């Protein structure tokens, strides 16, 4: 029901920065979390960052705390992931996701989300 489109991925050197964007077709009263997830080859999908759309509470994986920042615009139609001090371990396909309908307090767990974007590739090289 909610269409999500990611952009901003690309190739960057170690220590560089990227900003990912996730544009949503609609936000509703029952859109709870917006999250960023990533999946590297041979690895399970993992939660990176999430934001509660109603109160702006944020959540981060330990591996990205202090380096990544999630934010949303005033209209709550676009969510961003600012990624600084990028490392090779950050290389992955990054997915935007939305939790709609039923609230579950698992902001960094893929199973808590029911709308997904198509993904955008982030590659960090030395």
């Amino acid at each position: 029901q909610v269409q999500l489109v990611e952009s901003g991925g690309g190739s960057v050197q170690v220590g560089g920065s990227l900003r990912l964007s996730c544009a949503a077709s609609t936000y509703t009263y029952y859109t709870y979390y917006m999250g960023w997830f990533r999946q590297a080859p041979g690895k399970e999908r993992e939660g990176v960052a999430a934001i509660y759309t109603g109160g702006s509470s944020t959540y981060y994986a330990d591996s990205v705390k202090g380096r990544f920042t999630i934010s949303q615009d005033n209209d709550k139609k676009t969510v961003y992931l600012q990624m600084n001090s990028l490392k090779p371990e950050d290389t992955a396909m990054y997915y935007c996701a939305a939790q709609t309908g039923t609230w579950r307090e698992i902001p960094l767990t893929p199973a808590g989300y029911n709308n997904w974007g198509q993904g955008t590739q982030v590659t960090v090289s030395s």
Side-chain angles (χ1 to χ4, degrees):
Q1 183 173 333
V2 178
Q3 182 177 351
L4 305 174
V5 180
E6 304 98 328
S7 62
S11 298
V12 66
Q13 298 294 310
V14 170
S17 298
L18 286 171
R19 188 180 73 164
L20 306 183
S21 299
C22 175
S25 60
T26 60
Y27 273 67
T28 73
Y29 182 80
Y30 297 106
T31 300
Y32 299 108
Y33 298 121
M34 294 292 295
W36 287 98
F37 298 79
R38 66 187 182 188
Q39 188 165 20
K43 307 291 289 185
E44 294 185 355
R45 188 170 299 184
E46 63 176 348
V48 176
I51 186 167
Y52 180 65
T53 61
S56 297
S57 296
T58 57
Y59 312 85
Y60 296 95
D62 289 342
S63 60
V64 307
K65 285 182 179 178
R67 300 189 297 121
F68 291 10
T69 303
I70 188 170
S71 61
Q72 60 187 344
D73 70 7
N74 291 333
D75 293 326
K76 295 183 171 61
K77 296 295 292 290
T78 303
V79 177
Y80 304 95
L81 183 67
Q82 180 67 46
M83 305 186 294
N84 298 326
S85 302
L86 283 162
K87 306 174 180 179
E89 69 183 46
D90 297 317
T91 295
M93 184 73 74
Y94 282 70
Y95 298 91
C96 178
Q99 182 189 90
T100 63
T102 301
W103 179 78
R104 299 179 66 190
E105 196 174 8
I106 47 174
L108 296 177
T109 302
Y113 292 76
N114 56 343
N115 288 276
W116 293 85
Q118 82 287 350
T120 185
Q121 178 68 36
V122 171
T123 302
V124 185
S125 60
S126 300

